[in-house]
Amino acid sequence: MKRTFLGKELFPFAFGGAAISGEGGGYGFGHISEQDSISLLEYAFERGVRVFDSAPIYGFGSSEERMGKALKSVRDQVTLISKSGVDWHDTKRVNMTNDPKSTDKMLRQSLKSFNTEYIDLYMIHWPDEKVDIRRPLEVLEKYKEKGIIRHIGLCNTNLGELEKAKEVTKIEVVQSEYNLFNRAVENEIFDYLDESNIDFMSWGTLDKGVLTGKYKVDRVFDDVDCRKKAPWWKKTDVEKKVQLVEETKELLPDGIRYIDLAVSFNLHAKRMKSILSGPKTKERLDEILECVQKAEENYQRFEHWEKVTTTLQKFYE
């Protein structure tokens, strides 16, 4: 299975770099050594993965650095993605801003961390109500004209910002959360993306592991896993999500797991070109890649999509 993404025929899976943040902290998901991270990234390339997504806040730079080391010898064969807008103070307190000076600084730092002369896709990470989206995009357009950025995209965006953005540059990719629980973008921007010929990538594909069907509510996170302290995670009623998943497991036919369901659902969405997920082991990576390979078959085999989607949507009622 391949799809055209940024002009290339690629396997529709992107390696999510937050998973390899390791001891760097920031937005990351637990301990993983640099050597294990590099080995995992090299294995992903061997298995056919060609899109690797990161951001400075992932490990306070360690994710990008590890990707740079692992993929240096195959740089011209991979698509590297990074973002600006979420940086940090000297105390490592997170600072979210789309100020053009910060955009410029973060882009140059990512080039250094990746150890590359160009970034294939560079994105604005989050909207910033204090800064007109056109201002940081003017910075990115100048870098694009120099060939330092090949493509420009927006993450977690909205119609208003997309309309403003096209006054400055061509937005080629939008990346937002999308999964069986959270389908807000279907009504908010999917039609616009289709009309504007903009590709879509999903993050949160497995909803931090809940949609694998294996998540345990008593799971203990280590000290560099952002879910240990992050307010957004502590406010999430994970127990209810797990309960809703359990309620629908009985609908699964033989040979289809919940992770198969989650992956095939996302890959069937309009304009979907690549799903993001961040495995921390080769075994989990193999599992996800198998899901992607069988996604169309699993989607057609499953007969209870309406029941599952209706049940899981109860989480937001």
Side-chain angles (χ1 to χ4, degrees):
M1 173 191 286
K2 289 189 176 183
R3 298 186 180 183
T4 302
F5 180 63
L6 299 176
K8 300 177 181 178
E9 291 292 315
L10 298 171
F11 192 67
F13 170 82
F15 191 103
I20 56 165
S21 296
E23 66 276 9
Y27 184 76
F29 295 96
H31 283 284
I32 179 171
S33 70
E34 179 175 285
Q35 186 53 52
D36 285 345
S37 296
I38 291 173
S39 178
L40 178 58
L41 290 164
E42 291 173 339
Y43 181 71
F45 180 83
E46 292 171 5
R47 287 297 319 274
V49 178
R50 293 294 182 269
V51 182
F52 296 85
D53 175 282
S54 193
I57 194 62
Y58 302 165
F60 295 118
S62 64
S63 172
E64 291 181 327
E65 291 169 359
R66 292 174 176 189
M67 280 190 180
K69 292 176 181 178
L71 303 172
K72 183 178 180 180
S73 64
V74 292
R75 175 64 188 95
D76 60 339
Q77 300 178 57
V78 299
T79 295
L80 288 181
I81 302 173
S82 195
K83 315 169 190 79
S84 70
V86 186
D87 63 1
W88 56 92
H89 300 282
D90 291 341
T91 59
K92 292 193 173 179
R93 181 170 61 86
V94 174
N95 176 46
M96 301 182 70
T97 177
N98 287 335
D99 180 89
K101 292 182 179 179
S102 178
T103 302
D104 186 89
K105 176 184 176 183
M106 295 188 77
L107 170 57
R108 288 186 283 106
Q109 181 58 52
S110 290
L111 289 164
K112 181 178 180 181
S113 296
F114 278 141
N115 190 23
T116 184
E117 296 180 352
Y118 67 96
I119 295 176
D120 299 275
L121 172 61
Y122 199 80
M123 315 184 83
I124 303 293
H125 210 154
W126 288 91
D128 179 357
E129 61 182 18
K130 297 179 180 179
V131 180
D132 188 316
I133 192 66
R134 290 169 288 199
R135 295 181 62 207
L137 286 176
E138 287 170 352
V139 174
L140 300 188
E141 177 60 21
K142 290 179 180 178
Y143 278 100
K144 184 180 178 183
E145 291 172 355
K146 297 176 181 178
I148 295 173
I149 296 173
R150 301 293 169 84
H151 308 276
I152 295 175
L154 295 177
C155 295
N156 311 301
T157 191
N158 54 60
L159 283 177
E161 294 218 326
L162 284 165
E163 281 293 318
K164 289 181 180 179
K166 70 181 183 181
E167 297 176 18
V168 178
T169 189
K170 177 176 175 55
I171 299 300
E172 298 186 65
V173 181
V174 163
Q175 183 187 122
S176 290
E177 181 177 16
Y178 182 73
N179 54 51
L180 279 163
F181 282 115
N182 189 346
R183 299 164 55 195
V185 290
E186 286 182 354
N187 295 324
E188 294 172 357
I189 62 172
F190 268 17
D191 285 345
Y192 182 92
L193 300 184
D194 201 33
E195 294 166 2
S196 305
N197 196 31
I198 297 174
D199 291 342
F200 183 74
M201 301 177 69
S202 65
W203 64 264
T205 303
L206 301 177
D207 199 21
K208 309 296 184 294
V210 177
L211 287 170
T212 63
K214 305 174 185 178
Y215 192 93
K216 304 298 182 184
V217 293
D218 59 352
R219 180 176 175 179
V220 177
F221 302 109
D222 67 43
D223 58 331
V224 292
D225 192 312
C226 64
R227 291 168 293 185
K228 185 177 181 66
K229 299 178 181 178
W232 54 265
W233 182 256
K234 290 181 176 293
K235 292 178 182 178
T236 302
D237 190 349
V238 180
E239 188 170 350
K240 183 177 180 181
K241 285 188 171 184
V242 172
Q243 176 188 338
L244 293 172
V245 167
E246 290 297 320
E247 286 180 17
T248 50
K249 274 187 177 180
E250 63 184 27
L251 299 172
L252 299 178
D254 290 341
I256 294 183
R257 305 157 297 179
Y258 222 94
I259 189 172
D260 290 308
L261 209 65
V263 169
S264 60
F265 176 81
N266 271 38
L267 281 171
H268 202 262
K270 184 187 294 187
R271 300 300 306 177
M272 184 70 74
K273 298 298 182 179
S274 187
I275 62 168
L276 272 160
S277 187
K280 287 179 61 183
T281 66
K282 295 176 182 178
E283 291 75 19
R284 176 51 64 85
L285 174 63
D286 285 338
E287 183 179 34
I288 295 171
L289 295 183
E290 180 186 359
C291 292
V292 175
Q293 290 166 341
K294 295 183 177 180
E296 185 59 32
E297 174 188 341
N298 288 334
Y299 191 89
Q300 299 302 327
R301 278 190 61 203
F302 190 61
E303 300 176 353
H304 303 287
W305 283 113
E306 184 174 357
K307 176 66 174 177
V308 168
T309 54
T310 301
T311 301
L312 267 59
Q313 285 299 291
K314 291 179 182 178
F315 179 75
Y316 288 102
E317 293 178 357

